[in-house]
Amino acid sequence: MNLIVNLRLYRIINTMRRKLILLSLLILAIYKTVGQDLDSLELLLKGGGLELKVEDRLRLFDDLSWGYLNSDFEKAMLYGEKGVELAEKEGNIDYLATFKRNIGVTYYMASRFDKALEYLNEALDLSMQIGNEYLEARIYGAIGNVYNRCSDYTLALDFYLKALVLYEKGDNRLQIGRLSSNIGIVYQKLRNIDTAIEYFMRAETIAKQLDDKSSLASIYVSLSDIYIDIDRNKAIYYAEEAVKNFRQQDNKFSEVDATLALAKIYYSFEEYEKAINEAENALIISEKLESPFLISQTYLELSNIFYYQHKYAESEAAAIMAWENDSTDINLTNNMLYNIIRSNIYMNNPKRAEEYLDKLREQLSFYANSEYQNALSELEVLYETEKKDMKIDALEKEKRLVRLLVIAIGTTLLFVLVLFVMRHRLALSMQKLAEQQVKQLEKDKQLATVQAVLDGETAERSRLAKDLHDGLGSMLSVVKYNLREMETGVIIEKESVDRFKKAIEMLDESIQELRRVAHHMMPESLIRFGLKTSLTDFCDAIPNTHFHYYGDEKRLDSRLEILLYRSVHELVNNALKHAEADKIDVQIIQESNRISLVVQDNGKGFDTNTDHNGMGINNLQNRVDSYGGNMFISSSLGRGTEIHVEFELAENECEDKGSNSGRP
């Protein structure tokens, strides 16, 4: 079998020297322009005259250790271990958990599952310690992959579903799609094809919406295997698209899977030359990656091809090579042993076929083998006892031995049958359990959705406020500064002077308006000084609006403070815009075990029995419900409106007035 060596070409780019003050801008530019060009990241890490900050080195180690997973295990491990060393030195728990996750996944891809679980469990403990739910979900998914490869599908589904809960809580559609594909693969292995296709279709929809070509390619590999017996052209299309996408991304590990899927389609339709060509290409990549699992998988497909070509010696040799490289996946090893047995049957070698038939029986069940040995021992004891107790001739003993051997063979076959029945029932039980877990997940998701939306809205408001103030605000200030410089250094026509000054005034007004908008999206006074100060500032800025705060002034839970602030903001705006009120009273009463908010206006009011609440009131009701509060509305036409919101406070929801702990 002739193998063609495929050398990968590395692209090297030269970085220009920059002053240290421009370092952060240079790093950002490189990340945006070269993306996953690992050679360029290595060059940046080595220096080129620049002194990298600790945070930048940690980020580069992370990108390199993760980026090399699919092409160079040794480099992935090297940069992962360097990252662990630096993170431990700096006491950075977040990055320490990340690097242990990276190393665990590297061991997984090298088929070192014991070491993979060791590092992944350490990473999981660290991520839970710091409350990084996104990293925690990534680790759950990685552990699920390990159990999937070890054919422990119950545990695999358990960890996949744990990850799915966290991804859906954060509305991370990219990871939801990828995890759906993994769950589909589990159901595919359990021969539950309808459920598998449902998950693959869900994953495909998300991947297309997000233009996630890597996930789409993985989905196509699974779909190509499903459609082999349904639609040949569709199966080839999925496999070829997967190969093309993985090559474009330089994802060598996954390219092998896609290439073998294409080979399987070809030999299923007796196109053996094409099948062997694809399998040889996969073997070249697998040996270059030094991945025992990929090498084993490739030799197994070659064994299948040779068998269907009636090349039984070659089929046996390839199956043995597959067995010797990696025998951890029970589905693959059963196929290997089956090929060895049936090849030896056709080569008229019953002894060797029997040898591997024994191995297959051991593979199918340790318990069946144990029962078989016990049965033989009991038969031997029975035979010796009878021989001592009875004086019979040689012919009678020979007949009894034959009967005992028949019983032994019958007992063995019975145990094998029982084993298959037990495996079938176990598979059904696993399927039922998984479906129950999915249903429970859907129920839990509905309860978590409202709170997740509120947390996401708060985070997004904070981000937008920061971007507006620090980003666009700073840019407008720079523009204003440059225009002022032009005013002194450029000769402007007399008739253009007024327009120039008018432009400066409009720019000043724009900057002030931008700062006002950013402040109201997430006021700094709320974060730093608390609810009373921020609401005082807000109400003072609105004519005819009066604010009173009674009782304790202890800081509340940050989410409750934001909820109360947004509630006042919404109700005051409703009174001004819809009720056309010219007098608004806002009152907060804080006690040790409860806090209440009352907003009263003298607007035109509405009939609560006939009028439907607007979207703003409905949104406010949902927010109050999500925090376990109560809201009461009192209004009538021409007599104004009063809205009362109240929350119960637990002892740990208040903190000292001057404390900023737990603030966003």
Side-chain angles (χ1 to χ4, degrees):
M1 182 171 53
N2 296 322
L3 302 179
I4 302 172
V5 178
N6 181 22
L7 300 176
R8 178 186 172 209
L9 298 177
Y10 292 92
R11 292 180 296 147
I12 305 299
I13 65 170
N14 295 318
T15 57
M16 300 179 63
R17 296 178 180 272
R18 292 289 187 269
K19 295 180 180 180
L20 292 177
I21 195 172
L22 299 176
L23 176 61
S24 59
L25 294 177
L26 174 63
I27 294 174
L28 179 61
I30 289 177
Y31 275 125
K32 288 183 177 179
T33 56
V34 300
Q36 295 300 317
D37 190 335
L38 301 176
D39 294 330
S40 300
L41 296 181
E42 284 190 296
L43 185 62
L44 177 62
L45 185 63
K46 291 177 181 177
L50 296 174
E51 184 67 26
L52 292 174
K53 297 178 181 178
V54 171
E55 188 73 17
D56 297 326
R57 292 179 66 82
L58 287 169
R59 188 182 302 112
L60 287 172
F61 283 143
D62 182 19
D63 289 341
L64 288 165
S65 65
W66 191 257
Y68 274 119
L69 277 175
N70 294 303
S71 57
D72 193 325
F73 292 158
E74 289 185 3
K75 283 191 175 181
M77 187 67 70
L78 170 67
Y79 288 113
E81 290 173 346
K82 286 186 176 182
V84 167
E85 182 180 352
L86 182 57
E88 286 180 339
K89 179 181 177 182
E90 297 296 324
N92 192 319
I93 305 300
D94 205 329
Y95 266 114
L96 181 59
T98 298
F99 287 120
K100 284 185 177 289
R101 185 278 310 264
N102 293 358
I103 294 174
V105 175
T106 305
Y107 275 122
Y108 156 75
M109 299 187 77
S111 299
R112 293 284 307 278
F113 302 129
D114 53 342
K115 297 293 290 184
L117 287 175
E118 176 185 337
Y119 275 91
L120 289 173
N121 283 321
E122 290 178 4
L124 182 61
D125 290 340
L126 291 171
S127 65
M128 295 176 72
Q129 176 184 331
I130 59 178
N132 188 336
E133 291 190 345
Y134 175 72
L135 181 57
E136 182 182 342
R138 296 287 298 274
I139 297 169
Y140 279 140
I143 295 175
N145 290 338
V146 174
Y147 285 119
N148 192 351
R149 278 277 301 278
C150 293
S151 305
D152 194 336
Y153 303 128
T154 301
L155 279 176
L157 277 174
D158 181 48
F159 280 97
Y160 284 156
L161 292 172
K162 287 179 180 178
L164 193 59
V165 170
L166 295 178
Y167 287 142
E168 292 187 336
K169 178 180 177 182
D171 195 25
N172 191 321
R173 290 183 57 75
L174 175 66
Q175 297 300 338
I176 290 172
R178 292 180 175 180
L179 203 57
S180 297
S181 177
N182 288 355
I183 295 174
I185 291 171
V186 173
Y187 280 114
Q188 184 179 2
K189 290 181 178 180
L190 293 173
R191 302 295 185 266
N192 189 340
I193 302 303
D194 291 338
T195 304
I197 291 177
E198 288 180 13
Y199 275 97
F200 288 139
M201 292 298 101
R202 177 188 183 189
E204 182 184 19
T205 300
I206 295 174
K208 286 182 176 179
Q209 290 173 348
L210 301 180
D211 195 26
D212 181 10
K213 295 181 179 179
S214 177
S215 296
L216 197 60
S218 298
I219 297 164
Y220 285 167
V221 171
S222 298
L223 289 176
S224 70
D225 186 60
I226 290 175
Y227 279 99
I228 284 180
D229 299 323
I230 303 173
D231 187 330
R232 173 185 178 278
N233 293 332
K234 205 167 187 178
I236 290 178
Y237 166 77
Y238 281 131
E240 288 180 341
E241 285 295 307
V243 171
K244 181 176 68 176
N245 283 352
F246 284 134
R247 284 177 180 168
Q248 289 175 350
Q249 299 162 44
D250 196 29
N251 187 337
K252 299 298 184 185
F253 192 93
S254 299
E255 183 184 339
V256 172
D257 276 341
T259 304
L260 292 178
L262 190 57
K264 184 176 180 180
I265 298 169
Y266 284 136
Y267 77 68
S268 296
F269 291 93
E270 300 183 2
E271 300 178 51
Y272 299 120
E273 290 186 9
K274 290 183 178 180
I276 289 178
N277 183 56
E278 296 297 338
E280 288 180 349
N281 290 337
L283 187 59
I284 292 171
I285 301 172
S286 302
E287 291 179 338
K288 184 176 179 181
L289 291 174
E290 298 180 354
S291 168
F293 175 72
L294 293 181
I295 295 172
S296 173
Q297 197 175 6
T298 305
Y299 273 118
L300 177 58
E301 292 302 336
L302 284 168
S303 174
N304 291 335
I305 296 169
F306 291 139
Y307 176 79
Y308 289 115
Q309 286 183 297
H310 308 299
K311 298 179 179 179
Y312 302 119
E314 290 89 338
S315 176
E316 180 195 21
I320 291 174
M321 288 291 292
W323 174 275
E324 291 175 349
N325 273 279
D326 191 336
S327 59
T328 56
D329 191 309
I330 190 171
N331 291 293
L332 298 182
T333 52
N334 285 345
N335 193 173
M336 298 170 197
L337 292 171
Y338 183 53
N339 281 4
I340 295 172
I341 294 167
R342 62 182 180 174
S343 294
N344 277 282
I345 290 174
Y346 279 104
M347 290 189 296
N348 197 24
N349 192 351
K351 288 186 178 181
R352 191 164 178 81
E354 184 179 8
E355 174 189 348
Y356 279 92
L357 182 60
D358 289 339
K359 291 184 179 181
L360 178 58
R361 185 167 60 248
E362 293 172 3
Q363 176 83 6
L364 289 174
S365 174
F366 166 79
Y367 299 104
N369 183 62
S370 176
E371 292 292 336
Y372 172 75
Q373 295 298 332
N374 291 336
L376 286 180
S377 298
E378 291 173 3
L379 288 173
E380 290 174 0
V381 171
L382 177 62
Y383 175 74
E384 292 296 330
T385 302
E386 290 180 350
K387 185 175 69 172
K388 291 178 181 179
D389 294 339
M390 301 178 64
K391 299 293 184 178
I392 57 174
D393 57 22
L395 181 59
E396 187 65 28
K397 289 190 291 183
E398 192 173 299
K399 289 181 179 180
R400 180 172 291 123
L401 178 58
V402 170
R403 288 198 299 270
L404 291 174
L405 289 176
V406 170
I407 293 173
I409 293 172
T411 303
T412 302
L413 292 176
L414 178 61
F415 279 126
V416 172
L417 178 61
V418 170
L419 170 64
F420 278 110
V421 171
M422 290 176 62
R423 284 173 58 83
H424 178 68
R425 290 181 178 177
L426 178 60
L428 292 177
S429 176
M430 292 169 58
Q431 176 185 339
K432 185 176 180 180
L433 175 61
E435 290 173 350
Q436 289 175 347
Q437 289 175 326
V438 170
K439 290 179 181 179
Q440 185 61 41
L441 174 65
E442 292 293 335
K443 293 180 181 178
D444 294 342
K445 181 180 69 175
Q446 292 176 358
L447 296 176
T449 297
V450 174
Q451 189 58 54
V453 168
L454 296 180
D455 291 344
E457 178 186 339
T458 299
E460 187 65 13
R461 282 179 175 271
S462 299
R463 185 188 68 78
L464 288 174
K466 184 176 181 356
D467 288 347
L468 286 173
H469 186 276
D470 298 344
L472 184 57
S474 299
M475 292 173 62
L476 290 175
S477 297
V478 171
V479 171
K480 175 184 174 182
Y481 175 78
N482 288 330
L483 289 176
R484 290 294 188 189
E485 289 292 318
M486 291 176 57
E487 186 177 12
T488 58
V490 178
I491 299 176
I492 304 175
E493 296 293 335
K494 186 173 183 180
E495 57 272 15
S496 300
V497 171
D498 291 339
R499 284 190 296 170
F500 185 85
K501 290 182 177 180
K502 182 64 176 177
I504 294 294
E505 291 175 1
M506 292 176 66
L507 185 58
D508 282 334
E509 292 174 359
S510 298
I511 292 172
Q512 292 299 321
E513 179 64 16
L514 183 143
R515 288 175 177 170
R516 186 188 67 79
V517 171
H519 174 77
H520 283 303
M521 291 188 72
M522 185 53 67
E524 184 179 358
S525 60
L526 176 62
I527 298 172
R528 295 181 58 188
F529 304 113
L531 194 60
K532 180 179 179 180
T533 302
S534 60
L535 287 179
T536 300
D537 293 342
F538 173 72
C539 293
D540 286 348
I542 301 175
N544 299 322
T545 300
H546 307 284
F547 173 64
H548 304 282
Y549 197 105
Y550 303 102
D552 297 337
E553 295 184 14
K554 292 181 179 180
R555 295 297 298 269
L556 304 173
D557 176 75
S558 60
R559 292 193 300 175
L560 181 55
E561 288 189 342
I562 292 172
L563 173 57
L564 288 167
Y565 180 86
R566 294 295 170 208
S567 300
V568 173
H569 193 282
E570 177 71 26
L571 294 173
V572 170
N573 282 338
N574 282 350
L576 293 173
K577 292 165 56 178
H578 303 299
E580 301 176 3
D582 56 18
K583 181 180 179 182
I584 303 170
D585 288 318
V586 179
Q587 175 180 286
I588 286 183
I589 301 174
Q590 180 178 343
E591 300 176 27
S592 60
N593 60 347
R594 73 180 183 92
I595 186 168
S596 63
L597 162 68
V598 178
V599 178
Q600 189 177 36
D601 66 69
N602 65 346
K604 59 185 182 181
F606 62 93
D607 188 347
T608 57
N609 294 320
T610 58
D611 289 356
H612 296 289
N613 295 335
M615 182 179 295
I617 294 296
N618 288 332
N619 288 340
L620 178 58
Q621 181 70 63
N622 288 335
R623 296 183 184 193
V624 172
D625 291 343
S626 73
Y627 210 89
N630 297 305
M631 185 171 78
F632 308 96
I633 301 175
S634 174
S635 181
S636 58
L637 292 174
R639 302 185 64 180
T641 301
E642 179 178 321
I643 296 180
H644 181 203
V645 178
E646 184 174 292
F647 298 95
E648 297 292 331
L649 297 179
E651 292 183 2
N652 59 355
E653 285 188 285
C654 295
E655 54 187 51
D656 293 338
K657 180 179 178 181
S659 174
N660 288 326
S661 62
R663 290 293 173 264

